[in-house]
């Protein structure tokens, strides 16, 4: 189930989401949550869990006009089976933006969320506004636009950046003029955090605990900033910087791959049967060789952009390293690709559209082609594996100027009830961004780092030290007395 988190900041942003996420639909009985009660009804989900229950509630489209137009938010609950041990609710978010969270409680339970935590909380999932079974947004993306993904191709020259501007401008215009264009100014992280507080209120809870990973780390930071007195125990995993998923976070993906890649290079070099090289240096050279060849001529539907994106995405998880090596080997020898490569883009329009709405609406991105040309020139040298792509121009450059409010400024005002957990070699949310968020939160937070690679620490990672720290915090409220560095645990 690590793949649910692995898509949170993936380059190709289409990579087998349906194969990893839990698909949940609402049955007709799962309706009508009110401020006084929640009428839980059955969900229809895969994999099945008869214990997961669903409902919807209405929230304001615009919180400045609470009695105005309303939208729906779909919520789910995996109730504690030990009511005598239950201490509250644990609101969860798997990342994204754009990823459904309705089935995430089942994902966590299947991913060995400790029984002590499951006993202590009703685990709550939800589809953020604009996403999935909540009132969804669209950008009317064509099949060709979906196949192109959410990130532009690698730019080698200033002319490459200029060429990418046209398709980016078209997508931005489609988002603004689609049949859900009325939602565009209001589909933001700040409003999703306000929706979370409506969920808390609807569930009758004075406070809510929280577990969020990747983009969910920023969502949790925004929630505890806007509502500092209403957070109980807040866990932020695989952390974005205090600016959220802004242009800095996008560019940092290139840094993340550079930091993470040596783990894969060592893995492949130790397994000569893949034919990718017998030293890490040779494996690294093979990456650049394959990218160059695929730019000239795609192989079996994989071009250089998708090759780079699939490599990044599958390095989110140590268990996927064999898939990366097998894909490289197949591309190198023009042989059949591993199953699921390339992934299907069917059903991904809402995911991509919701992601655009949030990341483009949360903050202002550079507006001119020249600025992106400058950034590409810098990152292509600094982070040659990916920098020419992640610094390239996208729809956010052409997003409508209308902003309902400025971005939320993450600060240190509020109770000291935040635990951050972070892998040292995270390709999607690099450690550098987590450190910035840690500084912004100040006395409110303690951070645990794990000497391991991959995206997602709890409960997906293998580092016992880091996992135990989170479990202890959620079940007892005790955090490490100071920031903690967990050593590598070889062989786990």
């Amino acid at each position: 189930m690590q793949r649910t988190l692995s898509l949170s900041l993936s380059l190709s942003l289409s990579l087998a989401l349906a194969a990893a996420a839990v698909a949940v639909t609402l049955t007709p009985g799962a309706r009508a949550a009110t401020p006084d009660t929640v009428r839980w009804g059955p969900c229809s989900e895969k994999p099945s869990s008869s214990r997961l229950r669903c409902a919807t509630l209405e929230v304001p489209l615009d919180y400045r006009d609470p009695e105005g137009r309303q939208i729906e938010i779909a919520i789910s609950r995996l109730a504690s089976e030990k009511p005598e041990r239950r201490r509250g609710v644990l609101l969860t978010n798997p990342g994204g933006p754009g990823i459904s969270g309705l089935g995430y409680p089942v994902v966590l339970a299947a991913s060995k969320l400790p029984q002590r935590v499951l006993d202590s909380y009703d685990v709550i999932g939800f589809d953020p506004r604009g996403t999935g079974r909540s009132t969804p947004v669209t950008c009317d993306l064509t099949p060709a636009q979906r196949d192109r993904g959410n990130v532009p191709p690698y730019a080698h020259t200033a002319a490459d950046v200029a060429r990418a501007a046209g398709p980016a401008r078209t997508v931005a215009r489609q988002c603004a003029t689609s049949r859900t264009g009325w939602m565009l100014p209001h589909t933001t992280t700040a409003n999703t955090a306000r929706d979370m507080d409506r969920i808390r209120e609807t569930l009758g809870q004075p406070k809510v605990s929280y577990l969020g990973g990747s983009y969910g780390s920023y969502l949790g930071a925004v929630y505890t900033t806007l509502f500092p007195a209403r957070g109980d125990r807040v866990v932020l995993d695989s952390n974005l910087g205090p600016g959220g998923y802004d242009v800095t976070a996008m560019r940092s993906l290139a840094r993340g791959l550079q930091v993470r890649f040596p783990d894969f290079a060592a893995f492949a070099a130790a397994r000569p049967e893949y034919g990718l090289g017998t030293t890490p240096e040779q494996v690294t050279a093979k990456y650049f060789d394959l990218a160059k060849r695929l730019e000239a001529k795609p192989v079996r539907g994989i071009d250089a952009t998708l090759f780079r994106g699939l490599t990044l995405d599958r390095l989110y998880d140590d268990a996927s390293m064999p898939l990366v090596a097998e894909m490289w080997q197949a591309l190198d020898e023009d042989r059949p690709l591993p199953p699921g490569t390339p992934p299907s883009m069917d059903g991904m329009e809402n995911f991509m559209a919701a992601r655009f709405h949030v990341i483009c609406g949360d903050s202002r991105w550079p507006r001119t082609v020249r600025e992106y040309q400058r950034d590409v020139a810098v990152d292509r040298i600094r982070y040659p594996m990916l920098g020419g792509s992640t610094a390239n121009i996208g729809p956010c450059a052409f997003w409508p100027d209308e902003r309902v409010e400025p971005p939320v400024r993450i600060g240190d005002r509020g109770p000291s009830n935040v635990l951050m957990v972070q892998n040292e070699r995270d390709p999607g949310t690099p450690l550098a961004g987590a450190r910035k968020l840690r500084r912004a939160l100040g006395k409110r937070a303690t951070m645990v780092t794990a000497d391991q690679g991959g995206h997602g620490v709890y409960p997906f990672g293998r580092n016992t030290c880091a996992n135990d720290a989170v479990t202890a915090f959620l079940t007892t409220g005790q955090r490490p007395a100071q920031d903690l560095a967990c050593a590598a645990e070889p062989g786990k």
Side-chain angles (χ1 to χ4, degrees), residues 218-460:
Y218 178 61
L219 176 59
V222 169
Y223 179 80
T224 198
T225 296
L226 293 178
F227 305 100
R230 297 173 189 171
D232 187 8
R233 299 170 184 173
V234 178
V235 178
L236 310 180
D237 187 342
S238 305
N239 297 269
L240 286 166
Y245 202 160
D246 57 7
V247 65
T248 300
M250 177 64 78
R251 293 176 66 185
S252 75
L253 286 168
R255 178 176 185 162
L257 180 58
Q258 296 280 157
V259 171
R260 171 62 162 160
F261 191 82
D263 291 343
F264 173 72
F267 168 87
R271 294 161 178 81
E273 63 270 22
Y274 290 123
L276 305 177
T278 57
T279 67
E281 293 76 16
Q282 290 176 348
V283 176
T284 303
K286 178 63 72 174
Y287 174 91
F288 289 104
D289 173 61
L290 283 170
K292 184 177 181 179
R293 288 159 52 189
L294 292 168
E295 282 180 341
K297 183 181 179 181
V299 173
R300 298 179 183 265
I302 305 291
D303 62 12
T305 296
L306 189 52
F307 164 73
R308 292 184 178 98
L310 283 165
T311 297
L312 170 69
D313 182 76
R314 290 175 178 176
L315 293 186
Y316 277 40
D317 181 7
D318 284 349
S320 295
M321 284 188 182
L323 291 177
V324 178
E326 291 166 11
M327 178 186 71
W328 284 28
Q329 186 179 41
L331 292 170
D332 191 34
E333 301 173 2
D334 195 4
R335 295 195 290 104
L337 292 159
T341 307
S344 171
M345 289 298 291
D346 293 342
M348 299 297 289
E349 201 278 342
N350 173 244
F351 164 55
M352 294 177 64
R355 178 179 177 276
F356 283 138
H357 277 65
V358 174
I359 71 171
C360 299
D362 271 0
S363 62
R364 294 188 181 275
W365 292 54
R367 303 288 289 181
T368 67
V369 171
R370 180 167 301 201
E371 289 172 281
Y372 290 93
Q373 290 171 328
R374 179 199 62 202
D375 292 345
V376 162
V378 171
D379 287 6
R380 197 173 57 236
I381 295 172
R382 185 182 295 168
Y383 308 118
M385 287 186 154
L386 205 57
S389 181
T390 51
N392 203 353
I393 195 166
C396 294
F398 305 102
W399 211 246
D401 283 334
E402 178 184 1
R403 294 292 195 279
V404 172
E405 61 183 327
V408 175
R409 184 180 181 276
I410 307 300
D412 61 359
R413 298 181 62 183
S416 183
N417 63 345
V418 178
L419 179 64
M420 299 172 60
V421 283
Q422 178 74 31
N423 287 333
E424 290 186 7
R425 299 180 302 284
D426 187 324
T429 52
L431 179 59
R435 285 173 170 160
K436 291 178 182 178
L437 180 62
R438 171 68 182 87
R439 288 194 294 270
L441 287 168
K443 61 180 175 56
R444 298 203 63 189
T446 297
M447 185 162 77
V448 175
T449 56
D451 184 0
Q452 62 185 4
H455 189 55
V457 179
Y458 185 82
F460 308 99

Side-chain angles (χ1 to χ4, degrees), residues 45 69 296-297 319 489:
E45 79 283 344
R69 189 169 189 170
K297 183 181 179 181
E489 298 179 4

Side-chain angles (χ1 to χ4, degrees), residues 3 9-10 19 85 88 129 181 279 296 322 330 336 367 386 392 406 429 454 459 462 472 479 491:
R3 298 285 301 154
L9 282 171
S10 163
R85 297 183 185 177
R129 61 168 55 203
T279 67
R367 303 288 289 181
L386 205 57
N392 203 353
T429 52
R462 299 177 297 173
R479 297 180 307 175

Side-chain angles (χ1 to χ4, degrees), residues 203-221:
L203 295 176
Q205 300 295 310
K207 293 185 177 183
V208 63
S209 292
Y210 178 79
L211 172 62
S214 196
Y215 162 76
S217 68
Y218 178 61
L219 176 59

